[in-house]
Amino acid sequence: MGIRIKGYNLLFGLLAIAGAIGTAYEGYQWLQQRNINSQIQAGQLVNNEAHPFESKFMAAYKLGEAGDHKHALQSYTQLLETLPTPEQQARVQYNIGNNLMQSAMKRRLNDDGSLKDEAKYDLSQARIAYEQALRLQPEARQAKFNLSLMLALLPQGLEGGKKEQEGMELSNIPVGLP
């Protein structure tokens, strides 16, 4: 009977040690997550190599916040190439739409008051990004709001990326004034 009790004591002792190690590991993970969350809430860059997606996402967000929409869009596109989860993809697409919308709003108008072609293109791409975010996460209220706001404020028949070719010759007759 004494050997049997010693065997049980050894087994329960090993289980207690394994439980203590597991508890310590989970506590360490919790502290790391808390640190990352506090960095994000403070608006700081996440400097943790264990969370590359969050680090890259925060860097792209900061670029967009600083007005560098071109580089922010590049960073977000690189994030999409890392195969994030559908929820993360929806967040990235939403932020791509926001940066494209802000970029389009910074563009100047043509002399006749119409939108420049670059702004039209950015707005059409923003619409696609918002729609993609909603396909990935249909309950995303912010993406729904931004898309509906954009559609309500934009002129009808918005077609981006089309440019007229001026000065093109048709059967040796130049178009336009000489």
Side-chain angles (χ1 to χ4, degrees):
M1 179 128 190
I3 294 176
R4 194 169 164 191
I5 292 176
K6 286 183 181 179
Y8 282 136
N9 285 344
L10 179 64
L11 176 67
F12 290 130
L14 290 175
L15 286 175
I17 291 172
I21 291 171
T23 302
Y25 177 75
E26 289 298 321
Y28 174 73
Q29 291 292 326
W30 178 78
L31 285 175
Q32 277 194 327
Q33 287 296 328
R34 190 172 137 212
N35 184 24
I36 289 172
N37 288 338
S38 66
Q39 287 176 346
I40 290 172
Q41 288 175 344
Q44 301 170 350
L45 289 176
V46 175
N47 296 322
N48 190 331
E49 294 172 7
H51 301 281
F53 179 84
E54 286 79 6
S55 298
K56 186 77 170 176
F57 186 87
M58 195 62 178
Y61 182 81
K62 283 294 194 184
L63 286 170
E65 194 175 58
D68 191 2
H69 302 294
K70 179 181 177 183
H71 289 105
L73 290 169
Q74 289 174 347
S75 295
Y76 284 126
T77 304
Q78 291 171 356
L79 269 176
L80 288 175
E81 293 171 359
T82 64
L83 303 174
T85 65
E87 181 182 317
Q88 291 172 332
Q89 286 179 16
R91 284 191 340 210
V92 169
Q93 288 291 345
Y94 169 74
N95 282 294
I96 286 173
N98 286 345
N99 277 284
L100 285 166
M101 180 104 111
Q102 290 173 0
S103 174
M105 294 301 156
K106 286 184 178 180
R107 307 250 188 218
R108 296 180 184 258
L109 298 176
N110 289 324
D111 292 335
D112 63 354
S114 63
L115 291 172
K116 287 195 171 203
D117 289 338
E118 294 87 8
K120 289 180 184 179
Y121 179 76
D122 285 351
L123 290 172
S124 65
Q125 293 301 309
R127 178 181 181 172
I128 291 169
Y130 287 137
E131 289 172 350
Q132 183 65 24
L134 288 171
R135 269 190 225 97
L136 292 166
Q137 196 173 14
E139 67 279 354
R141 294 185 313 181
Q142 292 174 328
K144 286 179 187 178
F145 177 78
N146 285 5
L147 179 61
S148 63
L149 182 66
M150 185 181 79
L151 293 175
L153 295 177
L154 290 180
Q156 297 298 323
L158 177 69
E159 295 178 8
K162 291 188 178 179
K163 294 183 179 180
E164 294 181 23
Q165 295 181 357
E166 296 179 15
M168 186 171 120
E169 294 184 15
L170 299 173
S171 25
N172 294 334
I173 301 173
V175 176
L177 297 174

